[in-house]
Amino acid sequence: MNSVQIDSRIPKIQNKLFEQAHTHSLELKPVAIAMSKQGIKGEKLYSHPGMLPLPVPICEYLFSFNARQMSILSATFFANFYKYVANSEYQSLISNMSIAEKVFAPYSDEFMILHQETNEEMDHIWSFRTVYSMVCREIGIQSSFDEPSFFYGTVGAVTQSDFEKFDTRFSFDENLNTILSHLQKGKSFFKKIVEQTQQQDTNSTYRTLRFMIGDAMRMLPAEKVQESGLGSLALLYRYMANIELKKSEAFLFDSPENFDYEPLAFELNQGHLTDEARHYTTSFELGVELYKAAPPEAQDFVRHFLQIIVEDYINASFTTYLEKLDMTAQGMLLTDTRIGLNSLRMSLHHPELADKQVDINQLVHSWRQVSSKWRNIIGYIEQKSWQYKSQQLERLIKELRLELNTTKLGNRYERYQDALAIKEIQKVVEVA
């Protein structure tokens, strides 16, 4: 079988980093098991208060939570956040194995990097599920671990109707059969795939994308996977997910000198960060190499879909919390607001929050009535997040020479540019 040749320095660097990381055991399972045995104890926090996707500073109700109640709420958020991460990593398992098999020579360094990562992702998924099960047990509820991941269109704002149609189980409909047929026919049919997705709603477009970077690669012969640049598309799409994850994880336990964090939760976070730092560089470096090795038609094909993903990501990411609530009221859902509200709903089942029962819909309505001056205000943690995301996005935009639709993005693009220029983080700032 022919395989794609890439710059040998990349697997050498990744292998050296992998060996350094695993000289001593680096599994997350022991930490997750310890957390499960311990349960939610005491008043320690499971995340920085500013990372909670809830408007704590401007909400009297949330501000009135005592230390124990905030511990429970932050533990519930921690569990829900990592549930989202685990479901995103599950998609990566499918993509990793397909790229390794169809793009690289068996047991080559490149092939083994993706297998090493798959092994680590399985450890992460098991560990995060264990922590989520513990939180559900402590609260006294049963809740599914299934969750629409980054790759299910939650890269951006999703309409309520689209969200209700999400099905994380794979089903092969006629539309996907047509996509597969076009991919089998090769590069002369790439434009037909683009035209077909341009007629689709957001949910269908992302379902098509999810199929192409996962099951389509398993179903196609190796030469068609290589000819279409699907390995590059999968890895650079994964890079976008890595940006979101790395941004969130990096600030989850920000300013440890100011907060009393739960040590095991902090250890789990740090252990996962170590693995994901390598996965992050694999996504970008390997993805760009495969992009360069692809035929011109495949490069155009990959660039088209990454432009959609990047624009959707900018549109959703460079949005203030109150703007996100306005979008929710208009029937749009964003991942962070959904995870925040789900975490609050779950935590209210805990006996120690018996005095905090509230109508969530009325609460959200009260947040939306807050003075309009807060609409464009972001805090210290959000500024750091925006700054980081803009820098990492810029790498991809420049490398692929993406030409974003700045008119469509409007002030979101202005904010992206402003975040890119941030030199000093302020306590609060008003955005464009």
Side-chain angles (χ1 to χ4, degrees):
M1 182 188 79
N2 291 330
S3 59
V4 177
Q5 302 300 310
I6 65 164
D7 190 331
S8 61
R9 72 182 173 82
I10 294 168
K12 281 179 183 174
I13 292 168
Q14 293 304 96
N15 276 328
K16 188 171 284 189
L17 291 172
F18 177 82
E19 288 172 8
Q20 286 174 356
H22 289 274
T23 303
H24 303 290
S25 177
L26 195 70
E27 277 202 330
L28 301 184
K29 291 188 190 79
V31 185
I33 291 167
M35 287 183 74
S36 181
K37 289 181 177 177
Q38 175 183 277
I40 307 171
K41 303 295 181 190
E43 299 179 348
K44 293 184 184 293
L45 289 170
Y46 287 73
S47 77
H48 187 288
M51 285 301 293
L52 279 174
L54 294 164
V56 178
I58 61 170
C59 175
E60 288 183 23
Y61 164 76
L62 292 172
F63 206 68
S64 71
F65 277 33
N66 63 35
R68 174 63 179 151
Q69 290 169 334
M70 279 303 292
S71 174
I72 293 164
L73 177 59
S74 66
T76 310
F77 165 63
F78 182 89
N80 274 286
F81 168 72
Y82 278 114
K83 176 170 82 164
Y84 173 70
V85 172
N87 279 272
S88 297
E89 291 183 331
Y90 182 74
Q91 175 68 45
S92 293
L93 296 183
I94 300 167
S95 299
N96 281 1
M97 299 300 280
S98 299
I99 297 167
E101 181 186 349
K102 299 295 175 72
V103 176
F104 297 121
Y107 304 107
S108 63
D109 281 351
E110 299 89 340
F111 178 97
M112 290 310 299
I113 285 168
L114 293 168
H115 273 267
Q116 288 157 193
E117 291 190 359
T118 299
N119 180 45
E120 290 167 347
E121 302 291 30
M122 292 172 87
D123 170 53
H124 301 166
I125 293 167
W126 189 94
S127 301
F128 298 151
R129 179 183 170 275
T130 299
V131 172
Y132 187 78
S133 299
M134 176 276 286
V135 169
C136 290
R137 183 191 74 220
E138 290 280 300
I139 289 171
I141 62 168
Q142 290 187 326
S143 178
S144 169
F145 195 65
D146 200 20
E147 163 88 4
S149 73
F150 185 90
F151 300 97
Y152 282 74
T154 56
V155 57
V158 182
T159 64
Q160 181 74 45
S161 58
D162 276 359
F163 187 79
E164 288 166 356
K165 287 187 284 186
F166 276 138
D167 184 354
T168 56
R169 289 169 295 279
F170 177 69
S171 59
F172 191 67
D173 61 22
E174 186 58 37
N175 176 51
L176 295 182
N177 192 39
T178 305
I179 297 290
L180 185 65
S181 174
H182 289 337
L183 288 168
Q184 285 171 329
K185 290 171 184 171
K187 52 192 178 186
S188 60
F189 278 77
F190 292 164
K191 286 184 179 176
K192 289 189 179 297
I193 296 174
V194 168
E195 288 166 6
Q196 187 171 331
T197 55
Q198 285 172 335
Q199 307 303 316
Q200 296 175 337
D201 60 21
T202 304
N203 183 21
S204 301
T205 299
Y206 277 98
R207 188 160 186 268
T208 300
L209 267 167
R210 198 167 74 244
F211 171 66
M212 289 197 299
I213 66 164
D215 290 282
M217 284 197 284
R218 294 200 290 202
M219 301 165 87
L220 289 166
E223 62 270 18
K224 293 301 178 185
V225 173
Q226 294 169 21
E227 182 186 329
S228 58
L230 289 180
S232 170
L233 178 61
L235 286 166
L236 294 176
Y237 191 177
R238 192 181 91 166
Y239 174 71
M240 296 292 297
N242 292 147
I243 292 174
E244 180 62 20
L245 169 60
K246 204 158 183 277
K247 175 273 303 180
S248 300
E249 278 203 305
F251 306 127
L252 204 61
F253 292 94
D254 198 71
S255 309
E257 67 280 3
N258 297 331
F259 297 97
D260 188 13
Y261 290 130
E262 206 296 303
L264 289 172
F266 180 79
E267 189 179 344
L268 191 83
N269 166 267
Q270 294 300 298
H272 190 248
L273 267 173
T274 302
D275 282 347
E276 289 302 326
R278 274 179 291 106
H279 300 186
Y280 179 84
T281 52
T282 298
S283 296
F284 187 80
E285 300 289 351
L286 215 55
V288 168
E289 281 291 308
L290 291 179
Y291 173 80
K292 289 176 180 175
E297 297 89 344
Q299 290 185 353
D300 290 343
F301 184 64
V302 169
R303 203 161 47 239
H304 168 80
F305 284 107
L306 280 165
Q307 177 147 337
I308 291 172
I309 297 164
V310 169
E311 287 178 352
D312 283 351
Y313 186 64
I314 288 175
N315 192 40
S317 291
F318 295 90
T319 309
T320 69
Y321 188 81
L322 289 179
E323 286 174 338
K324 288 174 182 175
L325 289 184
D326 290 341
M327 293 169 76
T328 303
Q330 294 159 16
M332 305 297 288
L333 290 178
L334 291 103
T335 300
D336 46 2
T337 50
R338 182 173 57 80
I339 289 177
L341 293 172
N342 282 349
S343 301
L344 179 58
R345 283 189 191 96
M346 279 179 67
S347 63
L348 290 178
H349 288 277
H350 197 289
E352 294 192 48
L353 273 82
D355 64 330
K356 294 298 178 188
Q357 299 308 300
V358 70
D359 182 319
I360 301 282
N361 291 333
Q362 285 187 3
L363 189 64
V364 171
H365 180 72
S366 73
W367 296 338
R368 293 189 62 230
Q369 303 311 305
V370 171
S371 168
S372 60
K373 73 170 187 175
W374 284 98
R375 281 283 174 288
N376 291 1
I377 298 292
I378 61 170
Y380 164 80
I381 288 287
E382 273 181 307
Q383 288 173 64
K384 290 177 81 167
S385 298
W386 286 19
Q387 180 189 42
Y388 177 79
K389 284 190 282 194
S390 65
Q391 290 169 346
Q392 304 315 311
L393 283 173
E394 188 71 1
R395 290 180 71 197
L396 184 64
I397 291 166
K398 283 186 173 177
E399 189 68 54
L400 266 60
R401 296 190 177 93
L402 298 181
E403 295 178 7
L404 303 184
N405 186 335
T406 56
T407 305
K408 184 179 81 173
L409 289 170
N411 72 343
R412 305 291 195 271
Y413 184 75
E414 289 180 53
R415 291 172 181 182
Y416 161 72
Q417 289 292 321
D418 289 345
L420 202 54
I422 288 177
K423 293 289 184 285
E424 188 178 333
I425 307 292
Q426 301 170 46
K427 191 172 181 182
V428 294
V429 71
E430 188 169 356
V431 295

